[in-house]
C-alpha cells in the first residue's frame, strides 16, 4: 500500500511505483492482497526454479540416492563423484576450450561490427539505409534450422567444416541483426549535441563516436554482449552438424552425446549440465543489473 | 527522424569543406556487418532455394554438383502424406506453444508489478537462471525429471493422486510426448518474454495510468484499454519471435528423443534434417526448409511491416 503523499510525489516526479502501475491500490486493499500476490509470486518462482534445483541436487547425490523410487529431496549424503566422473570423460576439457574460443570470438567480433553498423543506421541518412534495415529484419526472420543444409555445403566447399572459424562466422551472422537493432536504439538515445560538442572541440567524426558515443551506450553493449554470449554458448544444431571430430566440438554437443548404450548416467549427466550452465549464469549475474532495462530500451524505441 | 535531420543539417557546418560531397562513412560502417549477414545468411538462403530445385544426394555432395530437376522436389514433398502431417503438427505445436508462452508471460509480468520488492527480486533471479540455462541443459534436466523409472514428476503425480504414473513412459504416446516438449519449450521461453514485457510495462507513461485510475477504470480495464495498446509493438515482437522459434523447433524434439525421434515426432525442422543428413537427400530437405521459410514469411508478414513502419518513423 502506498501512502497518498508518495503517490502524489511520484506523479510530480514523473515516476509512478510499480505498485501503482498495476492498479494495486484499486485491486488489492491492504495487507491480504499484497500477501496473496507475494504468495503467487513465490509459487511461480518455485515452479520455474525447481528444475534447476533438481539438476544441482541430483549432481551432488550418490548413485543409490539418484536411482531411488522415492526421490530424496536434498542431497543429504553429499558427493563430488559425479563431477569427477563428468570431467574425466573424454574431450571435456577440449570442448570447454572450444566453447570459450567460439564464444569469445563471436562476442568480440559481433560487438565491434554491430556498433559500427548501429552508428550508421542511427546517425546517418544515406541511400540504401532502408535496404540495410530490411536486410537486418529479413535475416532475423529466417530460422537458422532451415539454413543448416546450405551452410554445411557452403562451408564444406571452402574447407571450413570442422573448424572453429566456420562456427564463429555463422554465430556472428546470427547474432548481428539483433545486436545492431538493439544498439541502434541506444545510439539514437545519445544526444547528437554531445558529439557535436566534441567535434567543435577538435575531435573528428570517428573520434567523436569512439570517445563520446561508445562509452555512453555501455548498458546497450552489455545487454548485447550477454545476448551474444548466451546464443553462442547455448547453440547446438550448427555446432553438431559442422563440427564432426570430438576434439573440435563444443560443450553442448558433448553434453547431448552423453547418453551411453546403457541409457543416461543421470548423476554425471546432471553434474555436466551444471558445469555447462554455470558460466552463463555467472556471466549473467555479474552483468544482469544492466540487462532488464537494456534489452527493451532499444526495442521500445522502435 | 529528429536526430538524423540535425546531424545531416549540421554536417556541412561541422565539416570544413563547403561543397556537398558524397559521404562514404556510413557505408564504411555498415560494410563489415553487411558482408557477414549477407554471406552467412542471405547467400545460403538463396543457395537453399537453388538446392531445392536440384537432385542432390551423396554422389552430388562428393562431386559438388547437383542435377537440375525443377520443381520435382516440391511435388514429391507436397504429395507426401507424412509431410502434410508434419506441417499440421508443426502449426498446431506453434499455436499452442506461442499462446501458452504469451499468456503465462503476461500474467507473470503483471504479477511482478504487484509483489513486494524482495519477492520481485527473487522472481527475477529465478527467471534469469532459467533464461541463462542452455537449451541442451534444460532438455537433459527435463528428460531426467520425466524419466519413466526414477523421474520426480511421475512420483509427484502418483503422490498427488492424479493417477498411477509409476513406470509411466511419457514418450510412448506422441501426444503425451508433445506435452513434455511443450513444457520444456514454454518453460525455456517464459523468461525472455516475461522480462521483456515487464520492462515494457515499466515504461508505460505514468500520467496515462494515473488518469485512467482517477477516472475510475478497473485494473483490467486499464490493462486492456491503456496498457495493452501501448505495449502492442512489444507484443508483436515477442509473438513473432516466439512464432519463429517454435515453428523452427528442433533441439527440444531431437535431443529429448535421444537423437532418434520416430516419425510421429517429426516437426518441420526435424523432418528437413532427417531428409538431408539422415537419408542424404539434400534437395528434398532443402525443399522442406523452403516451405518452412515460406510459411513463416506469411505468418510474420505483419510483424515485418510493423517494424519497418516504426523504423521509418524514428
Amino acid at each position: 500500500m502506498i501512502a497518498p503523499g508518495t503517490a502524489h510525489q511520484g506523479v510530480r516526479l514523473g515516476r509512478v511505483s510499480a505498485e501503482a502501475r498495476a492498479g494495486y491500490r484499486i485491486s488489492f486493499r491492504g495487507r491480504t492482497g499484497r500477501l496473496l500476490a507475494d504468495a503467487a509470486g513465490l509459487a511461480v518462482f518455485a515452479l520455474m526454479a525447481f528444475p534447476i534445483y533438481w539438476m544441482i541436487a541430483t549432481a551432488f547425490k550418490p548413485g543409490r540416492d539418484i536411482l531411488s523410487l522415492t526421490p530424496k529431496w536434498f542431497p543429504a549424503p553429499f558427493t563430488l563423484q559425479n563431477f569427477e566422473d563428468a570431467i574425466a570423460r573424454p574431450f571435456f576439457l577440449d570442448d570447454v576450450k572450444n566453447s570459450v574460443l567460439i564464444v569469445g570470438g563471436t562476442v568480440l567480433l559481433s560487438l565491434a561490427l554491430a556498433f559500427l553498423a548501429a552508428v550508421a543506421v542511427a546517425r546517418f541518412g544515406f541511400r540504401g539505409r532502408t535496404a540495410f534495415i530490411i536486410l537486418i529484419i529479413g535475416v532475423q526472420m529466417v530460422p537458422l534450422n532451415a539454413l543448416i543444409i546450405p551452410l554445411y555445403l557452403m562451408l564444406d566447399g571452402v574447407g571450413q567444416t570442422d573448424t572453429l572459424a566456420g562456427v564463429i562466422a555463422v554465430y556472428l551472422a546470427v547474432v548481428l541483426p539483433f545486436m545492431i537493432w538493439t544498439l541502434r536504439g541506444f545510439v539514437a538515445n545519445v544526444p547528437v549535441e554531445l558529439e557535436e560538442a566534441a567535434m567543435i572541440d577538435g575531435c573528428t567524426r570517428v573520434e567523436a563516436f569512439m570517445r563520446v558515443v561508445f562509452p555512453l551506450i555501455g548498458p546497450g553493449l552489455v545487454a548485447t554482449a550477454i545476448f551474444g554470449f548466451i546464443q553462442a554458448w547455448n547453440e547446438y544444431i550448427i555446432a553438431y552438424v559442422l563440427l564432426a571430430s570430438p576434439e573440435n566440438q563444443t560443450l553442448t554437443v558433448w553434453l547431448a552425446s552423453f547418453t551411453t548404450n546403457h541409457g543416461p548416467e543421470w548423476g554425471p549427466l546432471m553434474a555436466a549440465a551444471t558445469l555447462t550452465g554455470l558460466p552463463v549464469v555467472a556471466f549473467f549475474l555479474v552483468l544482469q543489473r544492466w540487462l532488464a532495462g537494456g534489452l527493451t530500451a532499444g526495442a521500445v524505441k522502435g | 527522424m529528429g536526430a538524423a535531420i540535425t546531424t545531416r543539417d549540421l554536417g556541412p557546418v561541422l565539416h570544413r569543406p563547403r561543397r556537398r560531397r558524397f559521404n562514404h562513412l556510413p557505408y564504411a560502417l555498415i560494410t563489415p556487418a553487411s558482408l557477414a549477414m549477407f554471406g552467412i545468411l542471405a547467400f545460403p538462403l538463396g543457395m537453399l532455394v537453388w538446392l531445392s530445385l536440384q537432385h542432390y544426394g551423396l554422389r552430388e555432395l562428393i562431386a559438388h554438383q547437383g542435377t537440375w530437376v525443377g520443381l520435382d522436389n516440391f511435388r514429391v514433398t507436397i504429395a507426401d502424406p507424412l509431410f502434410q502431417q508434419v506441417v499440421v503438427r508443426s502449426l498446431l505445436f506453434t499455436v499452442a506453444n506461442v499462446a501458452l508462452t504469451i499468456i503465462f508471460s503476461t500474467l507473470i509480468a503483471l504479477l511482478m508489478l504487484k509483489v513486494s520488492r524482495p519477492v520481485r527480486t527473487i522472481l527475477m533471479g529465478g527467471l534469469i537462471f532459467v533464461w541463462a540455462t542452455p537449451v541442451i541443459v534444460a532438455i537433459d534436466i527435463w528428460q531426467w525429471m520425466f524419466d519413466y523409472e526414477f523421474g520426480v514428476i511421475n512420483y509427484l503425480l502418483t503422490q498427488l493422486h492424479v493417477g498411477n504414473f509409476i513406470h509411466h513412459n511419457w514418450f510412448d504416446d506422441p501426444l503425451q510426448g508433445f506435452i513434455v516438449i511443450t513444457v520444456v519449450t514454454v518453460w525455456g521461453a517464459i523468461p525472455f518474454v516475461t522480462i521483456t514485457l515487464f520492462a515494457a510495462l515499466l515504461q508505460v507513461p505514468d500520467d496515462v495510468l494515473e488518469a485512467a485510475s482517477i477516472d475510475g477504470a478497473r485494473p483490467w480495464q486499464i490493462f486492456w484499454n491503456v496498457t495493452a495498446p501501448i505495449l502492442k509493438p512489444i507484443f508483436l515482437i515477442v509473438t513473432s519471435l516466439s512464432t519463429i522459434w517454435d515453428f523452427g523447433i528442433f533441439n527440444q524434439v531431437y535431443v529429448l528423443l535421444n537423437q532418434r525421434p520416430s516419425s510421429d515426432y517429426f516437426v518441420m525442422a526435424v523432418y528437413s534434417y532427417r531428409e538431408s543428413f539422415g537419408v542424404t537427400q539434400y534437395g528434398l530437405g532443402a525443399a522442406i526448409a523452403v516451405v518452412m521459410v515460406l510459411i513463416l514469411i506469411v505468418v510474420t508478414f505483419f510483424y515485418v511491416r510493423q517494424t519497418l513502419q516504426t523504423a521509418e518513423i524514428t
Side-chain angles (χ1 to χ4, degrees), chain B residues 125-201:
Chain B
L127 289 173
I128 285 175
F129 259 82
V130 175
W131 190 1
T133 305
V135 63
I136 300 297
V137 171
I139 292 166
D140 283 338
I141 299 175
W142 285 101
Q143 210 177 15
W144 164 225
M145 289 178 46
F146 276 104
D147 183 56
Y148 77 102
E149 207 172 3
F150 304 111
V152 66
I153 288 177
N154 280 352
Y155 173 81
L156 281 177
L157 288 175
T158 310
Q159 291 298 306
L160 294 170
H161 299 288
V162 180
N164 181 7
F165 283 86
I166 296 168
H167 285 215
H168 176 75
N169 188 342
W170 287 80
F171 293 99
D172 279 347
D173 173 10
L175 187 64
Q176 290 188 12
F178 270 101
I179 291 177
V180 176
I181 295 167
T182 300
V183 168
V184 181
T185 310
V186 173
W187 179 79
I190 281 177
F192 169 77
V193 180
T194 305
I195 292 174
T196 307
L197 287 176
F198 176 67
L201 280 171

Side-chain angles (χ1 to χ4, degrees), chain A residues 246-263:
Chain A
E247 69 272 17
N248 283 340
Q249 284 170 346
T250 61
L251 216 44
T252 49
V253 181
W254 180 82
L255 195 60
S257 66
F258 211 97
T259 33
T260 61
N261 295 331
H262 318 289

